[in-house]
Amino acid sequence: MLAELKALLADPALQDCDPPPAVDYALFFDGNTDEESLAPNQWGYGRPPMAELHARFAQIARRPDVERVLVGLHYDWDDPLFAEGFPPAENVHIYTTASATEAEQWMDGLEADGVIEGWPYGKPCNAPEPSAGYAVLSVCWD
């Protein structure tokens, strides 16, 4: 999926996206073994491996009360340092009808700092609007 992710991120409209773009969780996690690409400060301190994060967010995405799961990229996502690998990510956004309190339970064991309502840095320019009845909850790590 890295090639598909890179193709998506090559869109010139995303180059000046502020806040940074968000991508489908499967594009970000599928084949991603770069443990430093999400919550690097928690890697080695309780945060599970990328494969487990992928499995957990795939499970969440299949819930009937979840419309979609996106990964919000870090402000440095397009730095040449990351040209060959997966871009760094900042948070995960869940479009859901569940409450933040309920979604907080889904994060047990991920060493996340919490679940907040809305976009922590503003809505990414490429993020679709949630359907009627759904809201955006964001999973944050320091």
Side-chain angles (χ1 to χ4, degrees), residues 61-118:
R62 289 190 300 271
R63 293 178 56 91
D65 54 353
V66 171
E67 179 179 28
R68 78 179 67 234
V69 177
L70 301 175
V71 175
L73 299 184
H74 188 273
Y75 276 95
D76 292 337
W77 71 272
D78 58 351
D79 188 293
L81 177 67
F82 307 111
E84 300 302 317
F86 282 85
E90 187 75 20
N91 39 50
V92 175
H93 310 294
I94 303 169
Y95 292 39
T96 184
T97 57
S99 69
T101 303
E102 184 178 354
E104 190 83 44
Q105 295 172 13
W106 307 341
M107 302 309 129
D108 187 47
L110 298 186
E111 291 304 311
D113 291 327
V115 175
I116 64 168
E117 295 180 10

